[in-house]
Amino acid sequence: MLVKMIYNGVTDLLFPRRCPICEEPVMPKGKLICPECIRAIHFIREPACKICGREIGDAEEELCSNCKRHRFSFEYGYSLMSYSDVVSRSITRIKYTGAKEYLDFYGHMAIRLYGDRIKAMGVDAIVPVPVHKSRLKKRGYNQAAVLAEIMGRELHIPVYEDALYRNKKTAALKELNAAERLKNLSSAFFAGEIPKDMRSVLLVDDIFTTGATLEATSRCLKRAGVERIYCFTLASKTDI
Ligand SMILES: [Zn+2]
Ligand SMILES: [Zn+2]
């Protein structure tokens, strides 16, 4: 016990947990984010789009403008936060500078705010949106898979990382519009091993922009026999 306490104390000193927003060691110790920094995050509130989960300004509306224009192959999804500079910086650090530990905070919030609603979906599995294997090698982890693992562990839902693969890198999606993105992505994914009894799936990804990635992966899972697909993303761009 004492040895463990000393060990934890030393690890804390050498590798203090850093805040996903300001990147400084989190105070008070034991927390996942600074009390001030959590206020910089805009967690999605109602009214939110019934399909993609992004926040919409008008309580009279059921869908965001994007979901009015496009029909998705997934049933519906939730998103934790509205995309902002602060959130974008934090996710970029997770993706490109090894700040995997920030996902502990986001995973914790995902469960706290959406755990019951995700359980109510009654899915057979959680499937992370894959990254290309060369990217995985460079980063050492897939941020969506790390998040999926945290959620699966807490919600007692199995995670199938091998359900989907990405067979080409899809760079510069930012410059493309929704239709071009989807075209670009439609051949980017293929299904791996899908157990026969996997009828419904929660797809997990980091950012919801136009929904093209989730649409491409949903189509891929449907072709492989999955009947119902739901989504969860960390951040979504507000009405686009
Ligand atoms: Zn902070
Ligand atoms: Zn929507």
Side-chain angles (χ1 to χ4, degrees), residues 19 22 34 37:
C19 169
C22 71
C34 316
C37 289

Side-chain angles (χ1 to χ4, degrees), residues 49-54 63-68 72 208:
C49 175
K50 300 279 180 289
I51 301 289
C52 73
R54 70 161 54 94
L63 304 178
C64 71
S65 59
N66 189 39
C67 289
K68 276 186 199 158
F72 288 113
F208 192 110

Side-chain angles (χ1 to χ4, degrees), residues 127-133 135-136 139 141-145 160-170 185 188-192 203-206 213-214 216-218 220-221:
V127 173
V129 169
V131 292
H132 188 263
K133 64 176 186 299
R135 247 178 221 172
L136 188 63
R139 278 181 212 168
Y141 57 88
N142 168 8
Q143 70 283 353
Y160 278 82
E161 218 181 310
D162 298 333
L164 285 172
Y165 289 95
R166 198 166 194 141
N167 60 10
K168 63 174 179 181
K169 278 183 268 183
T170 39
L185 284 166
F189 299 98
F190 64 97
L203 266 173
V204 168
D205 203 7
D206 48 9
T213 303
L214 290 167
T217 44
S218 293
C220 195
L221 288 172

Side-chain angles (χ1 to χ4, degrees), residues 55-66:
E55 198 167 300
I56 43 179
D58 187 349
E60 303 288 300
E61 297 285 349
E62 295 241 293
L63 304 178
C64 71
S65 59
N66 189 39

Side-chain angles (χ1 to χ4, degrees), residues 100-112:
K100 185 179 162 188
E101 64 175 331
Y102 295 175
L103 288 164
D104 291 339
F105 167 70
Y106 295 121
H108 167 81
M109 289 308 290
I111 288 152
R112 201 168 114 189

Side-chain angles (χ1 to χ4, degrees), residues 4-236:
K4 196 170 187 305
M5 275 169 70
I6 294 169
Y7 175 81
N8 285 345
V10 172
T11 332
D12 271 0
L13 274 178
L14 292 176
F15 310 104
R17 178 174 281 282
R18 294 196 175 265
C19 169
I21 300 302
C22 71
E23 289 198 279
E24 294 297 321
V26 176
M27 293 301 266
K29 276 206 180 85
K31 297 272 179 224
L32 299 174
I33 189 169
C34 316
E36 304 82 51
C37 289
I38 196 167
R39 285 190 224 126
I41 299 172
H42 184 96
F43 292 99
I44 288 180
R45 287 187 292 250
E46 293 290 337
C49 175
K50 300 279 180 289
I51 301 289
C52 73
R54 70 161 54 94
E55 198 167 300
I56 43 179
D58 187 349
E60 303 288 300
E61 297 285 349
E62 295 241 293
L63 304 178
C64 71
S65 59
N66 189 39
C67 289
K68 276 186 199 158
R69 284 196 305 268
H70 309 286
R71 272 191 73 87
F72 288 113
S73 301
F74 54 81
E75 306 292 312
Y76 63 85
Y78 297 117
S79 195
L80 181 65
M81 309 172 281
S82 285
Y83 192 81
S84 63
D85 287 349
V86 173
V87 166
S88 156
R89 260 201 313 276
S90 188
I91 293 177
T92 302
R93 285 184 215 121
I94 292 170
K95 283 165 89 157
Y96 303 108
T97 63
K100 185 179 162 188
E101 64 175 331
Y102 295 175
L103 288 164
D104 291 339
F105 167 70
Y106 295 121
H108 167 81
M109 289 308 290
I111 288 152
R112 201 168 114 189
L113 299 177
Y114 291 93
D116 289 344
R117 280 177 273 184
I118 289 169
K119 271 194 219 153
M121 293 167 175
V123 291
D124 298 316
I126 301 181
V127 173
V129 169
V131 292
H132 188 263
K133 64 176 186 299
S134 65
R135 247 178 221 172
L136 188 63
K137 210 171 159 195
K138 214 162 143 191
R139 278 181 212 168
Y141 57 88
N142 168 8
Q143 70 283 353
V146 176
L147 179 66
E149 285 294 340
I150 296 171
M151 294 172 74
R153 198 170 55 226
E154 292 296 320
L155 301 170
H156 308 290
I157 304 172
V159 176
Y160 278 82
E161 218 181 310
D162 298 333
L164 285 172
Y165 289 95
R166 198 166 194 141
N167 60 10
K168 63 174 179 181
K169 278 183 268 183
T170 39
L173 277 182
K174 271 182 195 159
E175 284 83 55
L176 306 178
N177 68 30
E180 288 167 336
R181 273 174 190 243
L182 188 57
K183 191 162 171 271
N184 194 280
L185 284 166
S186 61
S187 57
F189 299 98
F190 64 97
E193 239 177 84
I194 310 268
K196 284 232 167 330
D197 55 356
M198 199 199 272
R199 297 263 158 78
S200 58
V201 152
L202 174 70
L203 266 173
V204 168
D205 203 7
D206 48 9
I207 302 166
F208 192 110
T209 309
T210 61
T213 303
L214 290 167
E215 177 59 18
T217 44
S218 293
R219 286 183 188 181
C220 195
L221 288 172
K222 282 204 156 172
R223 275 198 302 272
V226 179
E227 290 162 12
R228 279 176 300 119
I229 294 143
Y230 304 89
C231 307
F232 185 83
T233 49
L234 281 186
S236 65

